[in-house]
Structures are given as structure tokens and as C-alpha cells.
Amino acid sequence: MPNDDLMTIREMCDAFDVTPRTLRFYEARELIFPERRGQHRLYDRRDRARLILILRGKRFGFSLEQMRQLLEIYEPGGCNRTQIAATLSVGRERLADMERQYAELREAIDELKQHIADAEQRLATAQDDTKTG
Amino acid sequence: MPNDDLMTIREMCDAFDVTPRTLRFYEARELIFPERRGQHRLYDRRDRARLILILRGKRFGFSLEQMRQLLEIYEPGGCNRTQIAATLSVGRERLADMERQYAELREAIDELKQHIADAEQRLATAQDDTKTG
DNA sequence: GGGCTGCTTGACGCGAACGTAAGCGGGACG
DNA sequence: CGTCCCGCTTACGTTCGCGTCAAGCAGCCC
């Protein structure tokens, strides 16, 4: 049962707001593995799932290489202990990164909110330079 | 009352685990503004506070330019309405980014945890390739 | 004065993550 | 049949965030 829901590179680009160059680049870096129908690439559900994870990882500041390593944990992939263990290790590190970042982000948000509130105060009491130039 | 707690570039590098090149680069991009004593740079509390924010922002995946804009909100800086309003606008956008990222990060963490648990299961039931090569 | 150390200003280099342009092949359409 | 329009590959260009010399000055010690 092959995944019928195959998409061309253009459909992928429209769906995920990326360029063909980006998809080919990710493929060259071995983050996604579209099939080939003749010369053309065809992307299935698995490729899309991986792309979503890649793009999300990027927003968190992870590199493509970090995501490539991490993606292995989202696949059945290797079936021997050493390989699974290695993947697990990478996954746990990445998880720790993300939890640190989560906590830090909470602090940063609260601080920024405070400074925004302060700025709103300043705005309210500031002289109106459009009148009192 | 000048801030007496001034630090040399080397002290800064040791304190924040960055290189002189990095500090000079941030200065060139107008993210920090150390004083000059003769030829030498001297960094005060304000510079250190900004540096902390810059480094934290980097970990969240923000660019130096984004941080430069955002840093204005952490300073009294401009005192006319239009300038404060502009800074506020940037700050609110950044805040929205961070809150989106915060929520997304929560999801990503939960997903990753699940996949790690799955991998642990596989590890437990996998054949031991060191014996059954 | 000679040498060392620390900081300075260029200027060039580099890896990551693409952008962009050139040129080829293959359906589709009038 | 010509000519679009895709998509493909190859290859060079670009931006960001620094790294890495290179050369020069300033202070200090002997």
C-alpha cells in the first residue's frame, strides 16, 4: 500500500511556503527523501511530516544538522540496540535543550511584558511632539 | 554618578564566554555602546544587561537586528510619542512571536517525550546485536 | 632601548542556509 | 512545428555571525 497522496515540488512549496531550492537543499542534506518518478520528485506523507518538524525546529533556533539527527527518532529506522541508543541519546539532549529554552522563554516573556507596560506608561505621560514640538 | 563597575573587554569575555571579536561585532552593529578610556573599551552595567538580552535572544533564534530593535524598549531612550510608539510596536510583535514559540515549544516537547518513550520501548524489546550479530 | 602583553583597527575567510542564473529535457497547447 | 512552462542539475553569489590573521600603538618591566 504505497502512500497515494503524493505531491509535486510545487504543491509542497505552496503548501509549506518554501522554495523548490529549499526542498532540494534539505534533500541534499538528507533531511527528506522524496521518491523519483522519472526525473521528478514526489513527496509523500512521511516527507511532509518531516518537513513540518524541520520548519518548527528552525523556529526554535536548531540547525538543520541537529534536526537531521533528531528526525531519526521519529522513524522506526534502525532496529539494533546501539543505533536506537544513539538516537535516544540525541533525543534526550535535544529535549533538555528545549526544556531549558521553555523555561527561559517564560522569563523573557514576563520581562518583556513588564517593559512593554512601562513603555505604555511613558507613552501616556509623554509630551505630544506633534503639538509641542 | 558614573557606574564604577566598569569592565575591560577581557573581563567581559571571561564573564560571558564570548570573544573580543563578538563584542566588537555587536558594537559595530550598534547593539552595545561601551565607553572609551583613551583607546580602550570599558563596559558598564548597561552594556552587560544588553549583552545578556542579546545572548538570550540568540538562543531563541532571533537575529541581531531583531534584538537591536527590541533593545530600545529596555532603555528610557527616546522621549517623544512617535518614537515610543514605534518601539512599543516592535516590542509587541516580538512578544507575540515569543508567545507563539512558547506554545509551539510545549507541543514539541510533549511530542518528543512521546517518541523518546517509544524508542525506549523499542530498545527494551530489540535484539541485542552484540550477541545475536 | 628591547621585549612582552593587551587592546586597537582593518581585511579577508568561512560555514550555514539558502538565492539566483544558465542550460537541458519533456509534456501541453495552439 | 514552435514555444511555453515545469522541473532538473550545476554552479556561483549572498547574508549572517562571527573566526582569523596582520599590523600598529600603549604601557610596563628590566
Side-chain angles (χ1 to χ4, degrees):
Chain A
M1 55 174 72
N3 284 319
D4 290 314
D5 44 0
L6 297 172
M7 291 170 60
T8 70
I9 200 167
R10 179 104 320 266
E11 289 166 345
M12 289 291 284
C13 292
D14 293 346
F16 294 98
D17 194 31
V18 294
T19 67
R21 180 71 179 90
T22 298
L23 293 178
R24 293 186 201 115
F25 184 76
Y26 290 171
E27 184 181 348
R29 294 303 183 85
E30 302 187 346
L31 283 116
I32 46 181
F33 311 96
E35 302 169 31
R36 290 300 183 102
R37 195 89 85 200
Q39 279 280 29
H40 296 4
R41 291 169 172 84
L42 287 175
Y43 300 82
D44 61 10
R45 281 193 327 107
R46 191 172 123 281
D47 295 315
R48 289 193 283 281
R50 293 174 73 94
L51 182 55
I52 289 172
L53 291 170
I54 295 163
L55 296 177
R56 192 169 64 182
K58 276 194 52 181
R59 268 171 269 148
F60 300 153
F62 292 134
S63 74
L64 293 184
E65 175 55 21
Q66 284 178 319
M67 290 312 296
R68 192 191 61 75
Q69 291 176 26
L70 185 54
L71 278 172
E72 291 180 18
I73 212 170
Y74 289 85
E75 304 277 328
C79 46
N80 70 66
R81 297 180 64 88
T82 45
Q83 185 168 347
I84 295 176
T87 302
L88 253 175
S89 166
V90 171
R92 290 203 183 101
E93 275 186 47
R94 217 47 77 237
L95 179 59
D97 287 347
M98 289 165 76
E99 284 180 333
R100 262 194 303 276
Q101 192 167 331
Y102 187 71
E104 241 184 304
L105 197 46
R106 179 74 261 159
E107 283 183 54
I109 286 173
D110 291 342
E111 281 181 36
L112 182 50
K113 269 184 184 167
Q114 187 56 52
H115 283 279
I116 285 177
D118 293 353
E120 278 164 349
Q121 272 299 317
R122 272 182 282 145
L123 185 62
T125 64
Q127 51 182 326
D128 187 338
D129 59 329
T130 64
K131 288 186 174 180
T132 65
Chain B
M1 51 175 76
N3 285 319
D4 289 316
D5 44 0
L6 296 173
M7 290 171 62
T8 70
I9 199 167
R10 179 103 320 261
E11 289 166 343
M12 288 290 284
C13 292
D14 294 345
F16 294 99
D17 194 32
V18 294
T19 68
R21 179 71 178 89
T22 298
L23 292 179
R24 291 194 275 259
F25 184 75
Y26 290 171
E27 184 181 347
R29 294 303 183 85
E30 303 188 344
L31 283 117
I32 46 182
F33 311 96
E35 301 170 31
R36 289 303 182 101
R37 194 91 83 203
Q39 279 279 29
H40 297 4
R41 291 169 172 82
L42 287 176
Y43 300 82
D44 61 11
R45 285 194 326 108
R46 192 172 122 279
D47 295 315
R48 288 194 284 281
R50 294 174 75 95
L51 182 56
I52 289 172
L53 291 170
I54 295 163
L55 296 177
R56 192 168 65 183
K58 276 193 53 181
R59 268 172 270 149
F60 300 153
F62 291 133
S63 74
L64 294 184
E65 174 56 21
Q66 284 177 321
M67 290 312 297
R68 193 191 61 75
Q69 291 175 25
L70 184 54
L71 278 171
E72 292 180 18
I73 212 170
Y74 289 85
E75 304 278 329
C79 47
N80 68 68
R81 297 180 65 88
T82 45
Q83 185 167 346
I84 295 177
T87 301
L88 253 175
S89 166
V90 171
R92 290 204 182 100
E93 275 186 46
R94 216 47 78 236
L95 179 60
D97 287 346
M98 290 165 75
E99 284 181 332
R100 262 195 302 277
Q101 192 166 333
Y102 186 72
E104 241 185 303
L105 199 46
R106 179 74 261 159
E107 282 183 55
I109 286 173
D110 292 342
E111 281 180 36
L112 183 50
K113 270 184 185 169
Q114 187 55 51
H115 284 278
I116 286 178
D118 293 354
E120 278 164 349
Q121 271 300 317
R122 274 182 280 146
L123 185 63
T125 65
Q127 50 182 326
D128 188 338
D129 59 329
T130 64
K131 290 184 175 181
T132 67

